[in-house]
Amino acid sequence: MRCEEVNELIQRSLDEDLNETDTQMVQTHLKECEACSGFYHRLQFLQTSLESIPKVNPPISIVDSILPELARIDQELGSFTKANPIKRNLFRKKWIASFGATAAGIILILSYIGYQNAGLRESADFAENAAVYSLSANEEKVMDSATTSDSRSLQKSAEPVPKVESNPNEGAMFGITSVSPSQNPKEMMSVASADGEYTVVYNKMQIEIYTKDGNLVVSITAHTGQQFSDIFWKDYKHVQYSSNVEGKLEKWTIDVTTGEQTPTTIE
Amino acid sequence: MNEADLIRAAQEGDRDALIQLLREIETPVYRTAYYLLGNEQDALDITQEALIRIYTRFHTFKEQAQFKTWAQRIVTNLCIDRFRQKKETVSIEEHERLLKAKTSVEDEVVISGIVEDIQEAINQLPDHFRTVVVMRYIQEFSYNEIAESLNLPINTVKSHLFRARKILQGFLREYEEGGVRG
């Protein structure tokens, strides 16, 4: 048996990964080979030393030290209840912070934008993409019907949520600036469905859909070279988005109730 | 409740169960951070970050994995990021000072002295070797568990571990010979 092979077996013996036969072979070789015997004893000694490295303990309860932070995280996206499995992402912090105050505002914004008959996408960070891929007539129709019902939900929701900071009459500007204050392409945009049951949160790299209770139902991350654009609600339960991979454009529809994605037929 | 019950409860949205899981994983997570980063302050920082990440990403935990290896993956990734940042700031002199073996040691204190020196030697190992050593000897993980924690094939785990031990036994040989660097 070659020393190299024996060395490997010696290594494995430290991890109790040797069978009886291998162990016998190693022992026989060690009696004859001084170099391997030295290696074996040093490794045995090393093993003992490594096993006696003192196992440190944290000087404080680290969980206790982060409880306030965890509570804060919970608050940002609603309480942690049975109906509310957590889904939080530090990277969205900024968005979440402003979401609470403007959740109702978003519905107002949508109504306003819809009223103005401007495409949702003009309010998004994807303005440059939107300019290239204009809405088809069909999509516009869907948007119209969605925004009509927005007006109804607006009447219902405006009253209990008086905290909307801006006057809806300033809708166009408010719609863009308050949801995405920095205009940073990485900043998450959010748009609620017309009935307010779901919210799609997105940027060029990520699309996530939450229920109004904060449950994540869909999460899609762009792969390398892929960019999302043109994200909007087709109706209460369907979000359409465009995927651009090196100039190749595909349109997909997400069913928020099942999470399934199907290619959108391009007319 | 045992760990499986806690995991199930946490997955059903029981916040207290998730906090309890964090408490159970706190010490092993801290130990990994401590031995990878080499000091208490960094270890505390990274452990906090890791626990918060475990809390916020718990929904992505799949039951095919073990909770303890999943937690270790999170903390090792954070540590690797951290010590890459730090390494750039360690001077060459400092590096050499740390590499020096002691020249004379009383027999009685050989073991404890060597343990300390081996710890120093571990700190000088390449990142991947060191991480495997910590998983094997601090967490007492099997090849399989190490592979799961570090997202590496088992053969890679073995080869890292064997090479790490070979480097460390080389250090012991120098030690036996009276410390060639002394």
Side-chain angles (χ1 to χ4, degrees):
Chain A
M1 208 176 194
R2 290 187 303 128
C3 291
E4 207 175 296
E5 292 168 87
V6 174
N7 283 358
E8 163 135 3
L9 291 180
I10 291 171
Q11 289 268 12
R12 285 173 46 200
S13 75
L14 300 178
D15 306 316
E16 286 157 22
D17 192 37
L18 279 199
N19 61 31
E20 198 77 357
T21 327
D22 289 339
T23 312
Q24 282 302 324
M25 271 161 44
V26 170
Q27 291 304 330
T28 315
H29 181 93
L30 291 183
K31 281 177 195 146
E32 299 158 358
C33 176
E34 204 180 317
C36 284
S37 178
F39 182 72
Y40 176 78
H41 286 107
R42 278 191 302 275
L43 274 194
Q44 286 290 341
F45 186 77
L46 175 69
Q47 179 86 348
T48 314
S49 308
L50 290 172
E51 284 169 351
S52 31
I53 290 176
K55 304 251 190 330
V56 292
N57 289 314
I60 52 163
S61 163
I62 303 171
V63 172
D64 283 348
S65 76
I66 58 166
L67 285 178
E69 172 70 7
L70 299 183
R72 197 186 60 73
I73 291 169
D74 284 342
Q75 260 185 349
E76 281 180 352
L77 216 75
S79 62
F80 187 107
T81 65
K82 281 195 189 292
N84 240 352
I86 44 167
K87 161 64 194 177
R88 336 228 177 303
N89 190 335
L90 295 174
F91 131 79
R92 279 205 316 278
K93 254 184 191 167
K94 213 168 168 182
W95 168 73
I96 294 166
S98 64
F99 182 68
T102 56
I106 289 164
I107 296 169
L108 296 176
I109 296 156
L110 279 184
S111 308
Y112 181 78
I113 293 168
Y115 178 72
Q116 294 288 305
N117 207 16
L120 268 186
R121 300 158 309 136
E122 276 76 7
S123 74
D125 277 327
F126 302 125
E128 74 269 31
N129 294 328
V132 181
Y133 314 120
S134 65
L135 280 171
S136 73
N138 188 31
E139 286 161 357
E140 255 169 5
K141 215 167 102 198
V142 174
M143 296 264 301
D144 275 346
S145 70
T147 48
T148 310
S149 44
D150 268 347
S151 306
R152 285 198 300 273
S153 65
L154 166 65
Q155 287 163 4
K156 260 196 311 190
S157 63
E159 198 181 337
V161 192
K163 276 192 170 175
V164 178
E165 285 162 12
S166 305
N167 182 334
N169 291 335
E170 298 163 14
M173 255 179 66
F174 171 57
I176 299 164
T177 55
S178 74
V179 177
S180 181
S182 73
Q183 297 293 305
N184 174 346
K186 285 187 180 172
E187 189 88 24
M188 303 299 273
M189 284 290 300
S190 66
V191 179
S193 61
D195 58 3
E197 289 296 319
Y198 295 91
T199 300
V200 58
V201 181
Y202 61 91
N203 62 15
K204 290 181 183 180
M205 282 85 74
Q206 182 98 19
I207 301 173
E208 294 181 337
I209 300 171
Y210 294 85
T211 65
K212 64 178 177 187
D213 300 322
N215 292 337
L216 178 73
V217 287
V218 176
S219 175
I220 306 166
T221 307
H223 55 74
T224 315
Q226 186 182 29
Q227 279 197 357
F228 299 134
S229 59
D230 261 3
I231 293 141
F232 61 91
W233 288 95
K234 291 179 79 173
D235 56 35
Y236 290 166
K237 306 293 181 201
H238 294 88
V239 170
Q240 178 168 311
Y241 70 93
S242 297
S243 151
N244 189 339
V245 184
E246 288 159 5
K248 186 170 173 283
L249 183 72
E250 285 177 349
K251 293 188 179 190
W252 290 82
T253 299
I254 309 165
D255 183 337
V256 299
T257 53
T258 61
E260 272 173 31
Q261 296 183 51
T262 44
T264 310
T265 323
I266 301 171
E267 280 94 344
Chain B
M1 274 202 277
N2 63 25
E3 189 186 273
D5 291 337
L6 285 172
I7 289 170
R8 209 167 304 119
Q11 281 172 335
E12 284 167 12
D14 183 342
R15 183 180 191 270
D16 292 342
L18 183 50
I19 300 283
Q20 187 54 38
L21 281 170
L22 292 185
R23 292 194 190 283
E24 294 190 2
I25 212 76
E26 165 181 317
T27 300
V29 165
Y30 174 77
R31 283 178 181 160
T32 293
Y34 182 88
Y35 286 105
L36 286 181
L37 301 170
N39 73 79
E40 185 177 292
Q41 193 50 54
D42 283 344
L44 282 171
D45 284 356
I46 289 292
T47 306
Q48 284 188 329
E49 210 176 321
L51 293 174
I52 290 170
R53 198 167 282 197
I54 291 167
Y55 184 84
T56 57
R57 305 255 174 102
F58 185 72
H59 65 283
T60 68
F61 168 67
K62 305 276 190 307
E63 274 179 271
Q64 295 93 303
Q66 290 192 70
F67 184 64
K68 66 172 180 181
T69 55
W70 184 69
Q72 288 298 327
R73 186 186 292 198
I74 289 175
V75 68
T76 49
N77 283 338
L78 288 172
C79 287
I80 286 169
D81 288 348
R82 174 68 69 98
F83 54 60
R84 279 195 185 137
Q85 289 163 9
K86 283 222 148 186
K87 230 166 222 176
E88 288 157 18
T89 66
V90 176
S91 71
I92 292 163
E93 293 88 319
E94 175 76 354
H95 204 77
E96 283 184 348
R97 191 188 65 76
L98 289 169
L99 269 174
K100 276 183 191 169
K102 285 183 183 163
T103 50
S104 67
V105 187
E106 297 289 335
D107 281 354
E108 289 75 22
V109 295
V110 158
I111 278 282
S112 71
I114 281 181
V115 168
E116 273 175 35
D117 289 345
I118 283 178
Q119 270 179 253
E120 271 195 8
I122 291 172
N123 287 338
Q124 303 310 311
L125 288 173
D127 300 347
H128 288 94
F129 295 178
R130 176 161 37 148
T131 312
V132 171
V133 167
V134 168
M135 291 299 119
R136 173 71 182 81
Y137 291 99
I138 303 297
Q139 299 302 334
E140 300 176 7
F141 277 1
S142 66
Y143 293 151
N144 240 325
E145 289 169 333
I146 300 172
E148 214 174 277
S149 300
L150 305 180
N151 199 19
L152 292 173
I154 287 191
N155 280 337
T156 309
V157 168
K158 285 192 197 178
S159 99
H160 284 1
L161 181 62
F162 294 180
R163 287 181 64 192
R165 285 198 293 229
K166 200 167 176 189
I167 294 171
L168 293 173
Q169 71 82 37
F171 167 84
L172 280 179
R173 191 157 67 180
E174 288 180 6
Y175 216 101
E176 283 171 6
E177 288 162 6
V180 293
R181 286 168 195 270

